[in-house]
């Protein structure tokens, strides 16, 4: 139950959300709610082919259709120098196809008309003459020497995008050579899609009289969008205002700049009037950024007592037709090298090869923290394979190999310096709370009766909060974040941040951080994000970076204000600054707690009674370059029962114990965990975007790409341990993505555990009932 | 085509194309943008409203089909500046995050509690299974509906105090 926002010392308390009053009244303002005078609507014509040359495009009938104001093709954009745009991965991506199309649902032409329906009607009238080309959907075949080259625009005539590696190959090989036990497992993390409930869209409003472009857009990173738009369009950055209004969920889907945005901007530039583009669900699933699609092989070298020695991982990454994976520029496979997980490996070697295929671009999305989902799933899955091979309890194997509490800060074999952790404590709490030993007993009894019950554990380490400037940048811009806090004379505060929430509750939690630092209640602090004209420059919200980066900035910014406030307090109390103490609510004279002034008094004095030599006003800005990432961790346990007749898996219980350091708002953290576990559940059991041999996307909308309902979704249990981040200003770590990173392995481990008596060591996700049914039938099990 | 439709108790007369979906009519012609669109296959329920007291997905009803009928949308839940118990329960139980499914979820919950004033968790989950939420994992939505049910049956007088202090200032 939420507490009032007027609570003092609000850090750590379940304060009711400030954003809710508008959202429960239908008064949120999302992009499609934006209506401007003379606004037109844009509809995009998409390719029915996965790979085809465009012979010609006939737009004459569309141009003559009622209400149509403009038709654009790739050639038109080329004349504006907008046919291609740079991606966050350093590749180029077509905005609209010129010459050929490279994936089904790719943007080919666009119509602008007075109404949405007119634009859709006219789009149907555009005739495109295609010459189909051979299609590549299998990333392994894409690397074959005779594979058709997809990207004719690239200098290197190959479908190979990059090779990337981390760790010590030689040391790893040596340890493998002498290891008594080696396990190896191929693991696929299927292509899935973040599917926020609100699809992507924008309203581009170019005002020729002011030479100013205003872009309302579903954006997790509005400042970066503005910079990219300035680079692409040639418009000066101070004449571009990007506004990311209320966002109906992002989950990484709304980090990139999509072709639709650029087309809408191009149309508005040409017409000098606002142009709205809102994609359909089908366009969202089939063409906007997918997630995962990693084909991984992991090997663990270990001793017979289960002590792990070395880890070797080889991955083929399917990136689709353009490498648009939203990664920091030095990390083409994201932070995948966190794959040694929570365990103390002596050495590790990880390599990833990126491959072009005739599919939609993307890869990094859906609470992945830059490929940590893949890494975490892989190591947690393969640790279970090792446990099974050794006949060891998976909890015992983990306890034997955890990085110990006293080893932090811990340098991983691939170079990460984990900030803090107490893995044993977290797992033991989880085992205790779920009644692990009793569950194993129950399982043994059920096995004896021929019933199928499984218990799955995942003890993951996340890496979030990118990041330190020496390592992390997006299109060259270092991955700091920022806060700007301004006191008004009456003691009320407006604060703006460089991040952009999409439902994670920043308007509440950042107010809590600032209020805690300044002796206010959350109610006294208004938080704003998303308007690039007013908010300080920041890199946006994704990869659970808000609390680590902007959260740090908010605290340090407030402390900067407190430094000045102390001077004003000294002036008001008529003592020297050294004699002033801060107790969290007020300044008082040392030894005389009765003589005090509140921050409200100080704020008023900053405007009315300023000490000599001090600038009037009370405000500060802070751009925070984090010294390291934060490494939250967790221990998740799933208990499943399997129906032998149908192969249906029922998740009987799921307990998630998370440790994200100091908690700002436990109610909001729980909500994040519930949502992320539901995504993990969907990924484990129902989500996949397959392509057929002709490159047809077989799950382009929510009829075939499944999102779980309340009836499908298990009840979630949560708990926490607290191991603060030593380097973070308030000891807080990110957490938003932990539940998606940590949970798929727990589900799959549970199902495999249930089927292990039949020798099953691995099942690739999604675990549809038919897969389990087939395994049971193969082993002669029937109802 | 001319239609007359009562929305949230207020009569409207409008000229609509026969193909115009009720969801777009509400959003674009009446500017009631609380009703959202989350899919194109009637899967998500973000557009859920009540039509003559019956739950419908307004993306799958034509505006002309609402002719002569009554529509209730999320904007009609609040009465005289007082939040509906479901609205305050969603707030208190943190049953929303991005807020995009919330209007449809509130309408579906409203219809459920009209029919079944004291639903079990299973009945709530079943009744809301036409409404997709991507943020909450449903746990707190179930709790909010249970809390609202208790509030509406008079078992509890509790209201979030912030509702009293700030609740009406955002309109």
């Amino acid at each position: 139950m939420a507490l009032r926002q007027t609570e003092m010392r609000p850090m750590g308390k379940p304060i009711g959300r400030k954003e809710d009053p508008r959202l429960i009244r239908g008064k949120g303002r999302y992009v499609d709610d934006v209506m401007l005078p003379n606004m037109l609507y844009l509809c995009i014509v998409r390719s029915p082919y996965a790979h085809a040359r465009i012979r010609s495009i006939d737009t004459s009938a569309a141009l003559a259709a009622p209400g149509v104001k403009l038709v654009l093709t790739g050639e038109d954009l080329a004349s504006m120098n907008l046919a291609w745009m740079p991606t966050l991965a350093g590749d180029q991506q077509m905005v609209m196809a010129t010459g050929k199309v490279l994936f089904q649902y790719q943007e080919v032409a666009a119509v602008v008309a007075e109404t949405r329906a007119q634009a859709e009607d006219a789009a149907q009238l555009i005739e495109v003459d295609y010459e189909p080309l051979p299609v590549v959907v299998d990333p392994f075949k894409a690397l074959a020497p005779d594979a058709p080259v997809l990207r004719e625009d690239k200098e290197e005539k190959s479908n190979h995008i990059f090779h990337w590696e981390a760790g010590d190959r030689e040391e790893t090989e040596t340890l493998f050579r002498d290891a008594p036990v080696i396990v190896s497992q191929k693991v696929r993390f299927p292509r899935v899609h973040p599917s926020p409930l609100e699809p992507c869209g924008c309203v581009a409003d170019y005002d020729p009289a002011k030479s100013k472009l205003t872009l309302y857009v579903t954006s997790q990173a509005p400042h970066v969008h503005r910079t990219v738009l300035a680079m692409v369009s040639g418009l000066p950055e101070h004449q571009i205002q990007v506004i990311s209004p209320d966002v109906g969920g992002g989950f990484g889907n709304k980090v990139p700049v999509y072709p639709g945005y650029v087309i809408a901007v191009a149309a508005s530039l040409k017409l000098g009037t606002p142009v709205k583009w809102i994609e359909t669900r089908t366009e969202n699933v089939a063409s906007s950024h997918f997630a995962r699609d990693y084909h991984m092989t992991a090997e663990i070298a270990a001793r017979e007592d289960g002590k792990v020695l070395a880890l070797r991982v080889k991955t083929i990454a399917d990136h689709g037709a353009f490498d648009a994976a939203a990664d920091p520029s030095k990390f083409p496979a994201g932070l995948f090298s966190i794959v040694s997980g929570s365990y103390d490996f002596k050495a590790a070697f990880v390599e990833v090869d990126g491959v072009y295929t005739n599919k939609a671009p993307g890869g990094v999305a859906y609470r992945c923290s830059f490929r940590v989902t893949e890494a975490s799933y892989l190591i947690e899955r393969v640790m279970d394979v090792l446990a099974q091979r050794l006949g060891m309890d998976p909890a015992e194997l983990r306890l034997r190999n955890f990085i110990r509490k006293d080893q932090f800060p811990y340098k991983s074999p691939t170079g990460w310096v984990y900030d803090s952790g107490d893995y044993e404590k977290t797992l033991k709490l989880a085992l205790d709370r779920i009644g692990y030993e009793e569950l194993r007993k129950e399982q043994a009894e059920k096995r004896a009766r021929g019933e199928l019950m499984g218990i799955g554990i995942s003890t993951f380490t996340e890496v979030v909060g990118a990041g330190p400037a020496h390592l992390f940048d997006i299109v060259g811009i270092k991955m700091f974040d920022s806060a700007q806090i301004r006191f008004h004379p009456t003691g009320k505060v407006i604060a703006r941040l460089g991040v952009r929430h999409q439902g994670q509750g920043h308007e509440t939690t950042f107010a809590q951080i600032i209020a805690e630092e300044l002796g206010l209640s959350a109610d006294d602090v208004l938080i704003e994000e998303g308007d690039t004209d007013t908010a300080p420059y920041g890199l946006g919200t994704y990869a659970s970076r808000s609390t680590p980066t902007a959260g740090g900035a908010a605290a340090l910014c407030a402390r900067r204000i407190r430094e000045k406030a102390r001077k004003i307090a000294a002036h008001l109390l008529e003592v020297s600054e050294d004699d002033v103490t801060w107790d969290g609510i007020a300044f008082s004279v040392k030894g005389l707690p009765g003589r005090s002034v509140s921050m409200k008094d100080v704020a008023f004095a900053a405007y009315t009674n300023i000490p000599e030599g001090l600038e009037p006003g009370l405000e500060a800005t802070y751009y925070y370059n984090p010294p390291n990432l934060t490494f939250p961790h967790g221990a998740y346990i799933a208990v499943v029962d399997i129906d032998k007749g149908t192969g249906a898996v029922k998740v009987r219980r799921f307990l998630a114990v998370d440790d994200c350091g100091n908690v700002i708002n436990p109610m909001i953290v729980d909500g994040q965990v519930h949502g992320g576990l539901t995504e993990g559940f969907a990924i484990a059991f129902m989500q996949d975007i397959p392509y057929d041999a002709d490159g047809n996307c077989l799950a382009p909308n929510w009829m075939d790409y499944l999102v779980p309902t309340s009836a499908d979704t298990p009840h979630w249990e949560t708990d926490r341990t607290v191991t603060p981040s030593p380097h973070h200003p308030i000891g807080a770590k990110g957490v938003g993505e932990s539940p998606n990173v940590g949970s798929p392995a727990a589900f799959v481990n549970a199902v495999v555990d249930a089927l292990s008596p039949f020798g099953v060591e691995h099942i690739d996700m999604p675990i549809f009932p038919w897969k389990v049914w087939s395994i049971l039938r193969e082993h002669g099990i029937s109802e | 085509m001319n239609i007359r439709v009562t929305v949230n108790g207020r009569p409207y007369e409008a000229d609509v194309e026969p193909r115009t979906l009720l969801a777009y009519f509400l959003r674009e012609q009446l500017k009631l943008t609380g009703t959202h669109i989350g899919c194109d296959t009637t899967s998500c329920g973000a557009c859920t409203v009540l039509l003559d007291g019956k739950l419908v997905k307004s993306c799958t009803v034509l505006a002309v089909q609402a002719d002569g009928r009554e529509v209730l949308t999320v904007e009609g839940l609040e009465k005289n500046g007082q939040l509906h118990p479901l609205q305050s329960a969603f707030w208190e139980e943190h049953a929303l995050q991005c807020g995009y499914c919330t209007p449809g979820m509130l309408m579906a919950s409203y219809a459920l509690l009209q029919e079944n004033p004291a639903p079990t968790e299973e009945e709530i989950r079943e009744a809301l299974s036409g409404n997709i939420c991507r943020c909450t994992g449903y746990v707190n939505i179930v709790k909010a509906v249970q809390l609202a049910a208790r509030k509406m049956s008079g078992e509890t007088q509790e209201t979030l105090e912030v509702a009293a202090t700030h609740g009406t200032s955002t309109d």
Side-chain angles (χ1 to χ4, degrees):
Chain A
M1 179 81 68
L3 293 180
R4 308 165 41 155
Q5 291 153 11
T6 50
E7 193 89 8
M8 295 298 282
R9 303 305 300 262
M11 251 307 270
K13 294 182 184 158
I15 305 289
R17 291 207 324 166
K18 292 153 78 76
E19 37 277 85
D20 289 4
R22 64 177 187 274
L23 303 178
I24 53 178
R25 288 181 167 93
K27 301 285 186 191
R29 195 194 194 205
Y30 303 90
V31 162
D32 199 11
D33 303 341
V34 174
M35 316 237 183
L36 302 177
N38 306 314
M39 187 176 78
L40 304 173
Y41 291 84
L42 174 75
C43 180
I44 294 174
V45 178
R46 292 175 183 276
S47 172
Y49 289 98
H51 195 198
R53 211 163 295 288
I54 297 174
R55 286 205 194 97
S56 64
I57 304 179
D58 181 356
T59 60
S60 53
L63 273 167
V68 171
K69 300 290 182 191
L70 180 72
V71 175
L72 289 171
T73 64
E75 299 303 326
D76 297 318
L77 289 192
S79 70
M80 300 169 80
N81 207 20
L82 284 175
W84 290 73
M85 63 178 183
T87 69
L88 299 180
D91 194 2
Q92 297 282 316
Q93 176 181 2
M94 284 182 188
V95 175
M96 279 207 284
T98 52
K100 70 174 192 172
V101 290
L102 286 154
F103 67 94
Q104 192 187 41
Y105 291 99
Q106 190 184 335
E107 297 80 1
V108 172
V111 179
V112 181
E114 285 171 17
T115 70
R116 204 185 289 262
Q118 285 173 336
E120 287 168 10
D121 285 349
Q124 303 283 323
L125 301 174
I126 291 181
E127 295 279 350
V128 185
D129 186 9
Y130 293 99
E131 176 195 335
L133 296 169
V135 171
V136 179
V137 289
D138 181 334
F140 292 92
K141 288 185 186 159
L143 293 175
D146 58 342
V149 173
L150 304 185
R151 293 289 299 278
E152 290 160 354
D153 59 298
K154 305 289 281 188
E155 217 165 275
E156 205 174 316
K157 299 298 170 207
S158 157
N159 297 324
H160 185 246
I161 310 172
F162 64 84
H163 173 84
W164 173 88
E165 53 187 55
D168 189 328
R169 185 199 294 261
E170 239 169 77
E171 200 191 342
T172 305
E173 297 303 326
T174 308
L175 286 164
F176 265 90
R177 253 196 312 274
D178 305 330
V181 179
I182 292 175
V183 292
S184 169
Q185 182 62 53
K186 273 191 170 56
V187 173
R188 173 159 193 238
F189 208 132
R191 177 176 279 238
V192 292
H193 189 273
S195 279
L197 190 56
E198 176 203 34
C200 299
C202 69
V203 180
D205 179 16
Y206 180 67
D207 180 347
K210 290 199 277 188
S211 305
K212 180 167 183 179
L213 171 71
T214 308
L215 181 70
Y216 303 85
V217 60
T218 47
S219 173
Q220 296 178 226
H223 296 276
V224 179
H225 279 199
R226 174 167 67 170
T227 302
V228 170
L229 274 175
M231 286 166 14
V232 169
S233 70
L235 288 172
E237 199 165 353
H238 64 295
Q239 280 158 227
I240 301 174
Q241 180 178 17
V242 172
I243 298 173
S244 179
D246 282 326
V247 181
F251 312 115
N253 189 233
K254 293 168 180 171
V255 173
V257 174
Y258 286 120
Y261 307 156
V262 178
I263 300 167
V265 166
S268 186
L269 284 170
K270 271 195 178 277
L271 295 166
T273 194
V275 175
K276 177 184 275 190
W277 170 67
I278 304 292
E279 70 185 0
T280 62
R281 173 57 52 196
T282 302
E283 290 177 293
N284 177 254
V285 174
S287 75
S288 76
H289 275 205
F290 76 92
R292 322 286 187 263
D293 217 346
Y294 260 33
H295 301 254
M296 309 175 280
T297 303
E299 295 167 283
I300 292 178
R303 295 196 315 227
E304 268 148 10
D305 64 357
K307 181 78 192 86
V308 297
L309 302 169
L311 175 68
R312 196 159 54 188
V313 175
K314 204 170 167 49
T315 291
I316 295 293
D318 186 341
H319 279 233
F322 307 99
D323 188 10
D327 276 317
S329 61
K330 294 188 190 75
F331 295 86
L335 313 187
F336 184 68
S337 61
I338 196 76
V339 65
S340 58
S342 305
Y343 314 107
D344 190 11
F345 283 92
K346 284 189 166 63
F349 182 68
V350 183
E351 48 190 331
V352 180
D353 288 275
V355 178
Y356 290 125
T357 58
N358 289 121
K359 300 176 194 171
V364 171
Y366 210 8
R367 275 185 162 112
C368 82
S369 313
F370 302 128
R371 303 288 189 185
V372 184
T373 34
E374 288 89 329
S376 171
Y377 174 63
L378 183 65
I379 185 66
E380 289 306 306
R381 189 72 277 289
V382 183
M383 283 299 276
D384 263 34
V385 173
L386 175 63
Q388 202 173 333
R389 204 70 64 83
L390 294 170
M392 191 179 285
D393 182 282
E396 177 56 31
L397 180 72
R398 284 170 168 81
L399 288 165
R400 219 169 264 196
N401 285 294
F402 276 151
I403 299 158
R404 293 186 323 273
K405 189 183 167 186
D406 59 14
Q407 285 176 280
F408 295 93
Y410 167 83
K411 186 152 192 215
S412 87
T414 53
W416 299 106
V417 180
Y418 296 13
D419 57 350
S420 64
D422 191 343
Y423 301 152
E424 188 180 323
K425 182 175 167 189
T426 310
L427 177 59
K428 284 193 165 158
L429 173 66
L431 295 172
D432 193 42
R433 247 204 74 171
I434 204 143
Y436 187 69
E437 294 202 1
E438 295 84 80
L439 284 170
R440 284 290 177 203
K441 271 183 217 143
E442 183 194 340
Q443 183 184 40
E445 288 160 17
K446 287 205 159 142
R447 274 193 186 154
R449 291 200 299 268
E451 292 171 39
L452 300 176
M453 168 186 165
I455 307 164
I457 299 176
S458 168
T459 48
F460 62 93
T461 296
E462 253 275 41
V463 46
V464 297
H470 66 282
L471 280 177
F472 295 102
D473 70 87
I474 293 271
V475 292
I477 299 163
K478 304 300 185 184
M479 292 185 74
F480 57 83
D481 224 289
S482 60
Q484 208 168 62
I485 303 175
R486 177 184 304 161
F487 259 104
H488 294 79
T490 55
K492 304 295 180 186
V493 166
I494 182 158
R496 298 187 173 107
L497 301 129
V499 286
R500 172 68 225 171
H501 70 91
Q502 318 111 44
Q504 299 94 326
H506 292 183
E507 291 174 38
T508 308
T509 50
F510 283 115
Q512 286 178 257
I513 296 173
I514 292 166
E516 179 77 21
E517 295 288 338
L518 295 175
L520 307 170
S521 76
D523 181 43
D524 293 324
V525 184
L526 174 72
I527 299 290
E528 288 186 352
E529 298 174 352
D531 183 336
T532 56
D533 272 12
T534 57
Y537 201 106
L539 277 282
T541 292
Y542 41 84
S544 304
R545 67 185 300 280
S546 298
T547 295
T549 61
L556 295 174
C557 187
R559 287 173 201 173
R560 190 169 271 176
I561 286 186
R562 225 164 57 204
E563 285 167 30
K564 180 174 178 183
R566 179 189 297 277
K567 292 190 198 328
I568 300 172
H571 165 70
L572 294 176
L573 293 164
E574 297 178 319
V575 293
S576 93
E577 210 186 315
D578 297 337
D579 290 329
V580 173
T581 61
W582 168 252
D583 67 1
I585 301 267
F587 291 105
S588 55
V589 178
K590 264 184 202 162
L592 291 169
R595 271 191 70 201
S596 68
V597 288
S598 69
M599 194 58 90
K600 196 175 170 185
D601 302 326
V602 169
F604 193 66
Y607 290 88
T608 59
N609 176 15
I610 194 80
E612 210 171 312
L614 215 57
E615 193 184 339
L618 189 58
E619 63 180 83
T621 303
Y622 203 105
Y623 280 68
Y624 179 58
N625 173 24
N628 190 4
L629 297 110
T630 67
F631 297 74
H633 66 278
Y636 291 179
I637 303 180
V639 184
V640 304
D641 297 302
I642 296 177
D643 183 314
K644 285 193 287 184
T646 62
V649 177
K650 184 174 166 47
V651 178
R652 191 204 309 174
R653 282 185 75 188
F654 194 98
L655 169 67
V657 181
D658 275 282
D659 188 325
C660 57
N662 290 333
V663 170
I664 302 161
N665 184 324
M667 175 189 84
I668 285 177
V669 169
D670 276 344
Q672 289 295 304
V673 173
H674 294 161
L677 295 178
T678 306
E679 291 179 348
F681 167 75
I683 289 165
F685 293 111
M686 54 177 77
Q687 298 189 328
D688 186 14
I689 303 185
Y691 284 79
D692 72 11
D694 296 324
N696 293 304
C697 176
L698 299 183
N701 57 47
W702 284 359
M703 295 300 281
D704 298 296
Y705 182 72
L706 303 179
V707 281
T709 69
S710 46
D712 304 319
T713 305
H715 179 85
W716 307 118
E717 302 168 55
T718 62
D719 208 334
R720 259 187 295 283
T721 53
V722 176
T723 313
S725 172
H727 66 74
H728 190 265
I730 57 170
K733 304 183 183 185
V735 69
E737 298 173 327
S738 290
N740 188 325
V741 162
S743 64
F747 293 115
V748 177
N749 287 350
V751 175
V752 173
D753 181 53
L755 299 174
S756 60
F758 312 118
V760 174
E761 286 196 334
H762 177 69
I763 309 172
D764 269 333
M765 300 187 289
I767 303 182
F768 291 122
W770 64 259
K771 281 194 191 171
V772 177
W773 187 91
S774 308
I775 290 166
L776 292 172
R777 293 308 172 275
E778 276 166 30
H779 291 89
I781 310 293
S782 62
E783 208 167 357
Chain B
M1 266 184 83
N2 262 310
I3 60 167
R4 287 158 182 272
V5 53
T6 302
V7 181
N8 302 331
R10 187 173 151 191
Y12 292 88
E13 254 193 86
D15 185 21
V16 297
E17 277 191 76
R19 63 172 169 177
T20 300
L21 299 172
L22 179 59
Y24 285 107
F25 170 70
L26 293 168
R27 289 180 47 78
E28 294 184 348
Q29 281 179 260
L30 305 190
K31 311 282 188 249
L32 293 170
T33 55
T35 300
H36 296 146
I37 309 226
C39 74
D40 46 10
T41 48
T42 320
S43 312
C44 83
C47 64
T48 301
V49 300
L50 272 76
L51 183 59
D52 281 348
K54 200 171 172 306
L55 207 56
V56 295
K57 291 183 175 177
S58 63
C59 75
T60 312
V61 176
L62 298 167
V64 293
Q65 290 177 283
D67 186 27
R69 301 168 76 178
E70 288 194 21
V71 177
L72 182 67
T73 72
V74 69
E75 290 91 345
L77 286 181
E78 190 178 2
K79 292 275 185 291
N80 307 317
Q82 281 291 103
L83 291 176
H84 187 276
L86 269 166
Q87 289 174 303
S88 50
F90 267 56
W91 192 2
E92 287 171 62
E93 294 289 5
H94 185 36
L96 62 147
Q97 293 180 28
C98 81
Y100 201 77
C101 78
T102 310
M105 203 62 89
L106 283 167
M107 301 318 290
S109 306
Y110 178 91
L112 166 66
L113 293 185
Q114 298 273 309
E115 245 177 60
N116 180 355
T120 62
E121 167 160 2
E122 206 182 341
E123 286 168 341
I124 295 169
R125 285 182 177 269
E126 192 57 41
L128 300 183
S129 65
N131 292 72
I132 301 263
C133 171
R134 299 292 290 140
C135 296
T136 65
Y138 305 105
V139 174
N140 290 346
I141 291 176
V142 171
K143 282 193 206 163
V145 175
Q146 286 168 333
L147 174 61
R150 290 202 302 277
K151 282 175 189 246
M152 288 166 75
S153 71
E155 266 179 51
T156 168
Q157 293 301 310
E158 58 193 324
T159 53
L160 192 66
E161 286 172 66
V162 276
T165 48
H166 311 285
T168 52
S169 61
T170 56
D171 259 5

